[in-house]
Amino acid sequence: MNSAFDAAAIRARVEVAITVALEAGRETARFRHDSNFGTLAVENKGLQDFVTIADKNAEQAIRDGLLSRFPDDTFMGEESGGRSGEGGTWVVDPIDGTTNYIRGFRHWGVSIAFVVGGKVEIGVVYDAAQDQVFHAVRGGGAFRDGSKVHAAATADPVNALVILGHSRKTSFDDYLALSKRLHERGMDYRRMGAAAIDLVRVAEGAADLYYERHLNAWDMLAGALIAEEAGAMVAMPAVDSLLMNGGPVIAYSPGLAGEFAFILDIEGLAAVPVKPSSAGARRFLSPAPRQS
């Protein structure tokens, strides 16, 4: 770890990030409850890609809450942009699952990651459906409102529940083919529309797989660390690559590793194990960029 961020510095940041995520998440939920569609000021960034006044307000509140305490850190947000710095960088999605949020479907959350030297050191996710905060510090396990969470022990595919994401940047035919393959193995599957929340569902053992072919870094980094620290297997490209270009993420119950090995092959992710965390997870990194 960067010498500027010892255990005390990381602990201070995770405590602030938990508070900021909870406050921003609850205020955003209150705003939606008290608003009608017209007051959300919905803007279209692309096909089925929206931003609301709530996204912008939440990101500003998160930025202010973090940088007022840690002014030397840098900030990268989905709505306001920014870039990673040589020190530590906060990577934030103020509302992951904006379409769900707009429609009143409470499968959305606030995602806050802290990256140092190409590694995610802190992951914090506010889960609107449960009004709870998940968090993890690298090497320290994963928690939901202070109670430890663990990936599922599922070993039989006929008992598996998987969540699949899909971006319009990727092939829908490939998504359908993958869904069919998992269905034929006896698995049930969902598409929920909020990557950070889908990843913490794997972390808490509610789902056995989350996979999406392309995400932005702010969608996935916090949830990926939480899943990893809960004992899930997590595969994705190197963090620096994700910060620049986005990419795929795969998180799954370790007992089903054989069932999901073909997805690693699809993405060209080399299975290179790094030192397991205290939660017993292993993370796989790919030194090569994913081929489109």
Side-chain angles (χ1 to χ4, degrees), residues 131-207:
D131 187 33
Q132 293 178 321
V133 176
F134 291 78
H135 83 273
V137 171
R138 177 165 295 280
F143 300 85
R144 179 184 58 221
D145 277 3
S147 298
K148 207 160 191 178
V149 294
H150 302 278
T154 310
D156 188 335
V158 302
N159 296 324
L161 176 66
V162 305
I163 303 175
L164 302 176
H166 172 65
S167 164
R168 289 179 180 270
K169 297 177 181 178
T170 60
S171 166
F172 190 62
D173 287 340
D174 288 348
Y175 171 81
L176 292 176
L178 180 78
S179 303
K180 184 174 185 290
R181 180 165 177 170
L182 296 177
H183 173 77
E184 289 172 345
R185 292 294 296 154
M187 302 181 202
D188 202 357
Y189 59 92
R190 307 283 187 271
R191 180 176 184 269
M192 306 297 287
I197 304 303
D198 296 335
L199 285 162
V200 300
R201 294 289 175 261
V202 175
E204 67 181 346

Side-chain angles (χ1 to χ4, degrees), residues 46-232:
L47 188 59
Q48 290 293 323
D49 186 7
F50 304 104
V51 61
T52 71
I53 188 64
D55 293 84
K56 296 176 181 179
N57 289 346
E59 184 162 307
Q60 188 62 52
I62 294 166
R63 176 192 285 269
D64 291 347
L66 296 172
L67 297 189
S68 65
R69 287 291 306 274
F70 310 108
D72 294 331
D73 295 347
T74 54
F75 187 93
M76 177 185 291
E78 178 177 14
E79 308 309 335
S80 61
R83 59 184 179 82
S84 59
E86 293 183 0
T89 302
W90 296 99
V91 183
V92 171
D93 190 341
I95 304 179
D96 183 52
T98 296
T99 300
N100 292 346
Y101 176 79
I102 291 168
R103 300 304 296 266
F105 177 38
R106 288 180 64 86
H107 189 84
W108 60 269
V110 176
S111 178
I112 301 175
F114 187 63
V115 176
V116 182
K119 292 184 179 180
V120 185
E121 297 294 344
I122 296 170
V124 175
V125 173
Y126 170 76
D127 175 7
Q130 302 185 82
D131 187 33
Q132 293 178 321
V133 176
F134 291 78
H135 83 273
V137 171
R138 177 165 295 280
F143 300 85
R144 179 184 58 221
D145 277 3
S147 298
K148 207 160 191 178
V149 294
H150 302 278
T154 310
D156 188 335
V158 302
N159 296 324
L161 176 66
V162 305
I163 303 175
L164 302 176
H166 172 65
S167 164
R168 289 179 180 270
K169 297 177 181 178
T170 60
S171 166
F172 190 62
D173 287 340
D174 288 348
Y175 171 81
L176 292 176
L178 180 78
S179 303
K180 184 174 185 290
R181 180 165 177 170
L182 296 177
H183 173 77
E184 289 172 345
R185 292 294 296 154
M187 302 181 202
D188 202 357
Y189 59 92
R190 307 283 187 271
R191 180 176 184 269
M192 306 297 287
I197 304 303
D198 296 335
L199 285 162
V200 300
R201 294 289 175 261
V202 175
E204 67 181 346
D208 295 297
L209 168 73
Y210 175 66
Y211 167 51
E212 184 155 351
R213 296 207 69 183
H214 186 275
L215 291 163
N216 292 308
W218 45 76
D219 298 313
M220 62 192 288
L221 292 185
L225 179 66
I226 294 166
E228 175 188 343
E229 289 295 328

